C-alpha cells in the first residue's frame, strides 16, 4: 500500500478522485436541500479522501470520506463513509451529557449576568451608610487627636493631663474597632448572601469543567480504532504516549481513519489511499482546490501509525518531494571568517532525521572538524543558491546577528504558476502576512494575524513565459517558508512557486522547487568591507 504521508498519490486514487469530482458536479446540477448543505460545506473548504480496497474475491472498490463533520452537525452524507464513532447520534450519551453541560452554561450565564450582580448591588448599597458611620467617627477621632497635639504644643500639661489624653486616644481607637465589629454584624446577612452566590457560581463552573473532562475522557475511551491485524485501540490509548498526552480536537475524524475503519469493518484490504483539498483555504492555511496533500502529522500520524499495522506499507519517499541533488555544493568565496557556497536543490541545510548528507555535514567533511564551520542561515531543502557559513563561534555570532538585525540583503529568483498580468498584479509591490507554524501539520506554515510573526516580502516581476511568471523576491524578514507562503496564499499573490509540494502543484509539472537564492549583500563589521555575491549558476538546472 502507498504511504499516506507521501506527496505523490497513487494513480488509482487519482482516478477515483476524478470520479468523485464528477459526482459532486452532478450533485450541483440537482440542488436538493440536503445537497445544497453539503455543497456549501465543501465549497467553503474541506479535505476529501479516497481509498482503494479489495474484497475477498479480489474485486476492487473505492471508498470516499470527508474530514470532520458537516455544518449541520452530522457525520453522514450519501456516498461517503460514516464516522469511526458517531458521538453526535441524537440518543447517544454524548448528546445527552452535552445537553446537561449546555444547561449548566445557561445557569452560569444567568448567575454571572443577573443573580450575582443583583446580590452584589444589595451588598454595596448596605455598605454605604455603614461606611459613612465609620468615616464620621474617624473624622471625630482626627479632630480629637489634633486638639491633643495642640495642647501638647502650647505646654503647661501636668502628668495627670498627659495620662488623661493617652486614655482618650486609646478609648477612641478601641471604640473604632468596636464600631467596625457592630457594623460588620449588621452587614453579615448581605456578606453571607454574596459569599454563597460566589461559591455557588464556582461550584457550577467546577461541575461544568469536570463534566466536560469526564465526557471528553469517555469519548476518547469509546473512540475505538481498528488495524489490519484485527486489533483495536482507543484514541486515549493511542495518544497516551505521544507529546500531546491526550488526543487533540478532531483526532480520528480526518479522512484517513474514516476510510481505513470502514474498510476493516467490511473485511476489505486497503491498497491505496490519498487525500485532496476541495474548496477555499481555511484558517490561514494555504491549500489549493483539487490538490493532493499528505495526511496531517499532528493528528493523523499517531492514529494511522496504529491503523496501518498489519499492512505492507511503502516507506515515505521523503519529507519533501525532491530527494536528489542536481549538483555538488561549490564554494565560491572564503576568507578567515566565513565562506559562501552554492547549495544544490534537494540537499538539506542541516542534518535531518534521515541519513542524507546535509550541507553543514558536507562543509565539515570539506574543511575538517577543527575548522568548526556552521551555517549562518538556512535554505529549504529544495531551494538552491547562495548560502553563508562561518568559521568559529565568534564569526558565527557576528554573522547571525547581521541576519537577525536584517542587515543582510537577500535576493531570490523564482518561477510562479500563472501570468501575473492576467491576475491583475502590479509589476512590483510588497506582501505583509504574519506567519506561524501549523503545529498539527508540520512543516507547513500558516497565516496568523493574531499570533504570527511579522513577515515582509518585496517583489518585482521580470517576465512571463509559457504561462509562468518570473519574479525577483527581496525578503525583509526570514521566516520559515516565507516566500513560498507569500507567493501561494490568496492573501498574497495567489501564485504558487512552480514545483512547490507543500503549497503548490507539487511535481506535476516541474522536477523541483523553482526558487533560487541569487544574491547576498552585507557589510562585515570586522573588516568593515561591503560584500556582494551573485550566483553563477543557471537557476533551476
Amino acid at each position: 500500500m502507498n504511504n499516506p504521508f507521501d506527496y505523490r498519490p497513487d494513480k488509482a486514487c487519482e482516478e477515483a478522485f476524478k470520479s468523485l469530482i464528477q459526482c459532486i458536479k452532478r450533485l450541483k446540477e440537482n440542488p436538493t436541500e440536503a445537497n445544497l448543505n453539503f455543497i456549501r460545506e465543501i465549497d467553503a473548504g474541506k479535505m476529501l479522501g479516497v481509498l482503494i480496497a479489495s474484497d475477498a474475491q479480489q474485486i476492487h472498490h473505492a471508498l470516499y470520506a470527508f474530514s470532520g463533520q458537516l455544518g449541520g452537525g452530522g457525520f453522514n452524507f450519501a456516498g461517503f463513509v460514516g464516522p469511526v464513532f458517531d458521538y453526535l447520534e441524537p440518543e447517544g450519551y454524548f448528546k445527552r451529557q452535552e445537553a446537561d453541560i449546555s444547561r449548566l452554561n445557561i445557569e452560569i450565564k444567568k448567575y454571572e449576568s443577573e443573580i450575582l450582580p443583583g446580590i452584589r448591588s444589595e451588598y454595596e448599597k448596605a455598605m454605604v451608610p455603614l461606611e459613612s458611620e465609620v468615616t464620621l467617627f474617624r473624622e471625630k477621632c482626627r479632630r480629637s487627636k489634633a486638639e491633643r497635639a495642640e495642647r501638647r504644643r502650647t505646654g503647661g500639661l501636668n502628668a495627670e493631663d498627659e495620662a488623661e489624653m493617652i486614655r482618650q486616644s486609646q478609648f477612641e481607637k478601641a471604640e473604632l474597632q468596636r464600631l467596625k465589629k457592630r457594623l460588620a454584624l449588621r452587614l453579615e446577612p448581605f456578606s453571607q448572601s454574596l459569599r454563597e452566590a460566589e461559591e455557588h457560581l464556582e461550584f457550577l463552573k467546577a461541575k461544568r469543567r469536570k463534566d466536560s473532562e469526564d465526557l471528553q475522557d469517555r469519548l476518547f475511551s469509546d473512540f475505538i480504532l481498528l488495524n489490519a491485524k484485527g486489533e483495536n485501540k482507543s484514541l486515549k490509548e493511542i495518544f497516551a504516549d505521544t507529546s500531546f498526552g491526550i488526543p487533540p480536537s478532531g483526532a480520528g475524524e480526518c479522512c484517513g481513519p474514516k476510510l481505513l475503519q470502514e474498510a476493516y469493518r467490511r473485511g476489505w484490504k486497503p491498497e491505496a489511499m490519498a487525500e485532496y483539498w476541495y474548496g477555499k483555504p481555511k484558517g490561514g492555511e494555504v491549500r489549493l482546490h483539487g490538490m493532493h496533500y499528505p495526511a496531517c502529522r499532528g493528528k493523523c500520524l499517531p492514529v494511522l501509525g496504529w491503523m496501518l499495522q498489519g499492512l505492507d506499507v511503502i516507506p515515505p519517499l521523503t519529507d519533501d518531494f525532491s530527494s536528489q541533488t542536481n549538483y555538488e555544493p561549490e564554494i565560491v568565496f572564503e576568507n578567515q571568517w566565513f565562506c559562501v557556497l552554492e547549495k544544490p536543490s534537494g540537499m538539506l541545510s542541516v542534518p535531518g532525521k534521515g541519513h542524507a548528507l546535509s550541507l553543514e555535514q558536507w562543509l565539515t567533511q570539506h574543511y575538517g572538524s577543527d575548522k568548526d564551520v556552521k551555517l549562518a542561515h538556512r535554505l529549504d531543502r529544495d531551494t538552491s543558491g547562495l548560502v553563508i557559513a562561518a568559521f568559529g563561534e565568534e564569526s558565527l555570532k557576528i554573522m547571525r546577528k547581521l541576519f537577525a538585525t536584517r542587515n543582510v540583503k537577500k535576493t531570490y529568483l523564482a518561477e510562479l504558476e500563472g501570468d501575473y498580468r492576467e491576475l491583475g498584479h502590479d509589476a512590483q509591490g510588497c506582501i505583509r502576512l504574519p506567519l506561524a507554524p501549523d503545529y498539527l501539520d508540520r512543516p507547513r506554515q500558516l497565516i496568523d494575524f493574531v499570533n504570527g510573526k511579522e513577515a515582509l516580502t518585496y517583489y518585482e516581476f521580470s517576465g512571463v513565459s509559457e504561462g509562468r511568471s518570473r519574479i525577483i523576491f527581496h525578503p525583509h524578514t526570514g521566516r520559515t517558508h516565507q516566500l513560498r507562503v507569500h507567493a501561494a496564499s490568496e492573501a498574497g499573490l495567489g501564485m504558487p512557486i512552480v514545483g512547490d509540494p507543500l503549497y503548490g502543484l507539487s511535481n506535476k509539472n516541474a522536477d523541483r522547487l523553482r526558487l533560487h537564492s541569487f544574491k547576498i549583500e552585507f557589510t562585515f563589521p570586522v573588516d568593515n568591507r561591503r560584500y556582494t555575491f551573485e550566483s553563477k549558476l543557471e537557476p533551476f538546472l
Side-chain angles (χ1 to χ4, degrees):
M1 180 176 168
N2 72 308
N3 195 299
F5 298 99
D6 265 339
Y7 288 88
R8 296 175 179 174
D10 186 277
K11 289 183 179 179
C13 291
E14 292 276 85
E15 293 302 316
F17 181 67
K18 290 178 183 177
S19 298
L20 176 59
I21 294 298
Q22 292 304 314
C23 291
I24 293 174
K25 285 182 179 178
R26 289 194 290 272
L27 286 178
K28 291 185 176 182
E29 292 168 359
N30 298 281
T32 64
E33 184 176 345
N35 289 351
L36 281 174
N37 179 54
F38 173 75
I39 291 167
R40 281 194 296 266
E41 184 74 13
I42 63 171
D43 280 347
K46 190 168 280 291
M47 199 71 80
L48 303 179
V50 297
L51 173 70
I52 308 300
S54 58
D55 61 21
Q57 287 73 42
Q58 298 302 308
I59 299 173
H60 288 80
H61 306 269
L63 296 174
Y64 300 97
F66 55 81
S67 61
Q69 53 185 279
L70 299 177
F75 284 113
N76 298 288
F77 187 78
F80 292 83
V81 304
V84 174
F85 173 53
D86 192 354
Y87 56 83
L88 297 179
E89 200 276 322
E91 300 302 320
Y93 74 83
F94 182 87
K95 295 300 289 185
R96 294 197 303 271
Q97 290 186 244
E98 187 182 48
D100 290 341
I101 294 172
S102 294
R103 284 191 286 271
L104 270 176
N105 284 331
I106 293 171
E107 188 174 355
I108 289 170
K109 185 176 180 180
K110 183 176 181 180
Y111 243 84
E112 289 178 327
S113 62
E114 299 177 20
I115 298 175
L116 187 58
I119 294 174
R120 185 175 286 116
S121 176
E122 291 298 317
Y123 171 81
E124 291 170 352
K125 288 178 182 177
M127 280 195 63
V128 172
L130 304 184
E131 287 180 337
S132 295
E133 290 187 43
V134 172
T135 300
L136 289 172
F137 189 79
R138 279 179 172 160
E139 177 60 21
K140 177 181 177 181
C141 294
R142 187 193 66 78
R143 291 196 300 268
S144 179
K145 182 178 180 180
E147 291 173 358
R148 291 193 294 272
E150 179 63 20
R151 289 184 62 189
R152 289 190 177 99
R153 188 183 67 79
T154 56
L157 298 176
N158 56 33
E160 186 176 344
D161 293 334
E162 185 65 34
E164 176 60 27
M165 287 194 294
I166 292 173
R167 283 194 295 272
Q168 183 183 23
S169 175
Q170 292 173 339
F171 172 79
E172 288 173 349
K173 290 179 181 179
E175 185 61 21
L176 177 61
Q177 296 305 315
R178 286 190 288 269
L179 175 61
K180 288 181 178 180
K181 288 181 181 180
R182 290 195 299 272
L183 298 181
L185 287 175
R186 289 161 55 186
L187 188 63
E188 178 57 24
F190 300 96
S191 302
Q192 183 175 348
S193 295
L194 182 58
R195 284 195 304 271
E196 289 175 352
E198 291 174 337
E199 288 171 0
H200 185 64
L201 179 59
E202 287 306 310
F203 167 78
L204 293 175
K205 289 182 176 180
K207 178 172 172 50
R208 178 180 62 182
R209 185 166 53 250
K210 183 178 185 305
D211 288 353
S212 297
E213 291 172 353
D214 290 347
L215 180 57
Q216 185 181 64
D217 186 72
R218 182 174 175 182
L219 171 63
F220 292 155
S221 298
D222 289 353
F223 206 112
I224 305 299
L225 297 133
L226 304 171
N227 66 16
K229 298 177 182 179
E231 301 168 333
N232 59 69
K233 187 178 274 191
S234 71
L235 267 182
K236 182 179 179 180
E237 293 172 313
I238 289 172
F239 278 89
D241 296 327
T242 67
S243 59
F244 290 99
I246 60 173
S249 176
E253 297 178 22
C254 297
C255 298
K258 288 183 177 182
L259 291 166
L260 290 172
Q261 190 85 349
E262 184 63 22
Y264 295 148
R265 283 171 176 167
R266 298 188 184 199
W268 295 352
K269 180 184 177 182
E271 296 189 1
M273 182 168 62
E275 299 182 28
Y276 301 82
W277 185 257
Y278 190 99
K280 300 177 182 178
K282 300 173 78 171
E285 292 185 332
V286 179
R287 302 281 189 186
L288 299 182
H289 173 72
M291 281 303 303
H292 164 264
Y293 292 92
C296 66
R297 294 182 175 273
K299 292 187 287 189
C300 286
L301 187 59
V303 173
L304 296 185
W306 161 256
M307 299 189 78
L308 291 170
Q309 290 183 25
L311 295 177
D312 185 14
V313 180
I314 299 172
L317 298 177
T318 166
D319 288 335
D320 218 333
F321 82 87
S322 175
S323 60
Q324 296 182 349
T325 61
N326 300 88
Y327 54 87
E328 284 292 311
E330 179 184 355
I331 297 170
V332 298
F333 174 87
E334 67 176 77
N335 59 19
Q336 66 190 90
W337 301 292
F338 62 86
C339 68
V340 181
L341 61 159
E342 297 269 13
K343 186 187 87 67
S345 172
M347 189 178 207
L348 288 168
S349 291
V350 295
K353 295 181 180 179
H355 301 291
L357 183 70
S358 70
L359 184 62
E360 198 163 78
Q361 290 169 322
W362 183 89
L363 282 166
T364 300
Q365 290 180 6
H366 179 81
Y367 285 107
S369 58
D370 293 341
K371 192 71 170 179
D372 189 22
V373 58
K374 293 287 190 300
L375 293 182
H377 63 122
R378 302 179 186 182
L379 296 180
D380 293 343
R381 168 167 42 195
D382 293 307
T383 302
S384 58
L386 297 175
V387 185
I388 300 175
F391 301 126
E393 189 64 29
E394 288 304 313
S395 295
L396 182 63
K397 287 181 180 178
I398 293 170
M399 192 60 72
R400 285 185 172 171
K401 185 176 181 181
L402 287 175
F403 278 94
T405 55
R406 299 168 186 169
N407 285 308
V408 178
K409 184 179 180 181
K410 297 165 286 183
T411 301
Y412 288 78
L413 304 181
E415 286 183 357
L416 307 187
E417 301 282 1
D419 187 330
Y420 76 94
R421 299 167 303 186
E422 294 177 359
L423 294 170
H425 291 306
D426 293 332
Q428 59 185 18
C430 68
I431 305 165
R432 189 187 296 272
L433 295 172
L435 302 177
D438 185 344
Y439 292 106
L440 291 177
D441 199 7
R442 291 180 181 273
R444 294 179 62 86
Q445 306 291 303
L446 49 79
I447 297 166
D448 187 342
F449 288 97
V450 177
N451 301 308
K453 293 183 178 180
E454 179 194 17
L456 176 62
T457 302
Y458 295 94
Y459 67 87
E460 54 184 296
F461 288 100
S462 58
V464 179
S465 177
E466 297 180 352
R468 294 177 177 174
S469 298
R470 295 186 296 276
I471 195 169
I472 301 169
F473 284 123
H474 298 290
H476 179 67
T477 52
R479 307 300 176 202
T480 301
H481 296 177
Q482 175 175 319
L483 299 181
R484 298 165 71 173
V485 175
H486 280 185
S489 170
E490 291 296 329
L493 295 175
M495 303 172 67
I497 296 176
V498 173
D500 190 340
L502 283 178
Y503 308 103
L505 303 180
S506 188
N507 58 335
K508 286 188 174 183
N509 55 359
D511 58 350
R512 56 152 293 191
L513 177 71
R514 299 298 181 95
L515 180 62
H516 186 73
S517 173
F518 174 71
K519 188 175 181 180
I520 297 179
E521 304 169 74
F522 60 92
T523 298
F524 195 62
V526 178
D527 60 0
N528 204 33
R529 175 183 166 187
R530 182 69 178 176
Y531 290 91
T532 299
F533 302 99
E534 285 191 7
S535 174
K536 298 297 189 293
L537 295 174
E538 183 70 24
F540 320 129
L541 288 181

